[in-house]
Structure formats: C-alpha cells, structure tokens
Amino acid sequence: DTAVSQTPKYLVTQMGNDKSIKCEQNLGHDTMYWYKQDSKKFLKIMFSYNNKELIINETVPNRFSPKSPDKAHLNLHINSLELGDSAVYFCASSQPGGETQYFGPGTRLLVL
Amino acid sequence: GDSVTQMEGPVTLSEEAFLTINCTYTATGYPSLFWYVQYPGEGLQLLLKATKADDKGSNKGFEATYRKETTSFHLEKGSVQVSDSAVYFCALSDFAASGGGADGLTFGKGTHLIIQP
C-alpha cells in the first residue's frame, strides 16, 4: 500500500499554462506539505496544511495555490507557469508536533 | 531563522570504507533532527531520527547522535556498500519555534555519496 502518492510522476508543459499536481496520503495524518527540489537538489518547504488551514506559506509566488478537498488530499495548482518553475515537487504528510514526515515519490515538472 | 549545514559532495568512497557525513544546525527552539536518503530517481525516505539531546538514531547500519553542545548530528556507517550510493539530507523540525503548530522541515543542501566497488 502506497502511503503518500502523487500524480502525475512527470509533467511537461508550455510556459503560461496552468497545471495541477495531486497528492493523497492514506496514513491518517493531520498535516500535509509541499516541497520544491531545484536542479541542485536543494529542498525547500512551500506550504503546509493542518486541518484545512494553511499554516506556512514561504516566499512562494501567488501563482502557486494549495487546495485540500479533504484531510487525505493536498493538491498543488500552478497558474501561468514559468521556466523557473521547472523542478521536482514533493508532497509529504505527518502528524503535528515535529513528527516524521513521509514523502511521496515526487513530480518532475518541466516547463518549456 | 533555522538552518542546516552539511558537507557538500560528491563524497566518493570504496566499498567497506568508514563513512562520516557532517551536519550542524542552528535553531531557535529545541528541534527534532532527521537524516533522509534519496536514491536515484526516487523520493525521500527517512533513514533515522533523534528528538532530544544525546539520543542516537540508527537504521541499516547508519547512526547519528544528537549533540546539543556542538549543535551537530553527524551521520556515520562503519562499512559502506555500493547500494548506499544516494543523496543524504540532514534536516530539522523546530516544533517549539512554530508556536506549536505544524511546521515544515528545514533541509541541508544534501550530500551526494558515491560508493565504488
């Protein structure tokens, strides 16, 4: 059973398009996250959601918006894609309180 | 703000060599510390963790001890294998500094480990 899953695994699109990445966790966790990994492998938190409430929003452009239809899902919507958005995006989940985060397999986004 | 500093690679070792990957941190609260591993083309997997000073996390022959006095969490393994080749990330979660709410992990830049047969 996959704990944290993401779709799609690969996403190739043109500049200016709008795209979404889906994330689902079956661990019963209360908190979900999105991270961006750049070409140098550096990982940075983008968002976290706890009980449908946005907890963190780092310096991320407002073209990025997380949407959580329920506790098990946190989807990432990206409007007006730019070349610099090309990266690997990871979803993760945990219980709050500094507990271990479990990561999805990642979505490799390439903007042409 | 919080930060994690780890040695940047690539680190190249021969099979059965001793491994140390250094990691130091700065945090405003009392963080939990983690090592994650990313194998080629895959997502991140938790390797080990420690939640308080002097705790030792261990898994698959890897160990790391939470040293509050030196703000360090160095990763060690006595005898590495080719299958250990991966990128290793040191990370912290500063729950107390977040005011008790959920918080993301702060990662180091990753250390690419290459083990040669």
Side-chain angles (χ1 to χ4, degrees), chain A residues 1-5 24-27:
Chain A
D1 286 343
T2 303
V4 182
S5 59
E24 176 181 4
Q25 55 95 4
N26 62 6
L27 298 168

Side-chain angles (χ1 to χ4, degrees), chain B:
Chain B
D2 297 347
S3 67
V4 175
T5 302
Q6 62 181 105
M7 55 194 296
E8 295 187 34
V11 173
T12 303
L13 296 172
S14 297
E15 205 165 20
E16 299 184 0
F18 184 85
L19 168 71
T20 300
I21 301 178
N22 291 334
C23 171
T24 57
Y25 68 90
T26 58
T28 52
Y30 197 166
S32 295
L33 302 174
F34 305 84
W35 277 100
Y36 280 84
V37 58
Q38 185 177 27
Y39 296 102
E42 297 185 12
L44 281 82
Q45 302 175 25
L46 177 69
L47 182 59
L48 52 85
K49 71 176 185 179
T51 58
K52 60 183 187 294
D54 300 325
D55 265 3
K56 178 186 282 188
S58 62
N59 186 25
K60 298 180 181 179
F62 290 90
E63 293 183 341
T65 301
Y66 190 141
R67 300 288 187 200
K68 190 168 185 286
E69 64 277 13
T70 54
T71 62
S72 65
F73 193 55
H74 305 321
L75 182 68
E76 296 182 338
K77 185 174 185 181
S79 176
V80 292
Q81 305 300 313
V82 172
S83 58
D84 294 327
S85 298
V87 180
Y88 291 80
F89 293 92
C90 186
L92 69 82
S93 176
D94 199 352
F95 172 68
S98 70
D103 204 347
L105 291 167
T106 299
F107 282 92
K109 292 189 175 182
T111 301
H112 186 194
L113 176 64
I114 300 170
I115 307 300
Q116 296 178 333

Side-chain angles (χ1 to χ4, degrees), chain A residues 33 35 37 55-56 100-101, chain B residues 36 38 46 49 102-105:
Chain A
Y33 310 81
Y35 289 85
Q37 185 176 44
I55 302 295
I56 299 174
T100 302
Q101 293 187 19
Chain B
Y36 280 84
Q38 185 177 27
L46 177 69
K49 71 176 185 179
D103 204 347
L105 291 167

Side-chain angles (χ1 to χ4, degrees), chain A residues 6-74:
Chain A
Q6 296 178 227
T7 54
K9 189 171 182 179
Y10 300 97
L11 184 54
V12 181
T13 188
Q14 300 288 328
M15 266 194 338
N17 284 351
D18 302 336
K19 291 294 179 183
S20 295
I21 305 172
K22 295 186 177 180
C23 177
E24 176 181 4
Q25 55 95 4
N26 62 6
L27 298 168
H29 288 161
D30 289 330
T31 308
M32 295 182 72
Y33 310 81
W34 278 104
Y35 289 85
K36 179 180 180 180
Q37 185 176 44
D38 64 22
S39 59
K40 296 184 178 180
K41 298 285 189 182
F42 185 56
L43 279 152
K44 190 170 182 181
I45 181 75
M46 299 177 71
F47 302 104
S48 71
Y49 249 75
N50 187 345
N51 294 325
K52 291 198 171 185
E53 182 180 355
L54 181 66
I55 302 295
I56 299 174
N57 187 345
E58 296 286 320
T59 54
V60 173
N62 57 14
R63 299 181 294 103
F64 290 79
S65 56
K67 288 185 171 51
S68 180
D70 55 58
K71 197 174 91 165
H73 296 83
L74 183 66

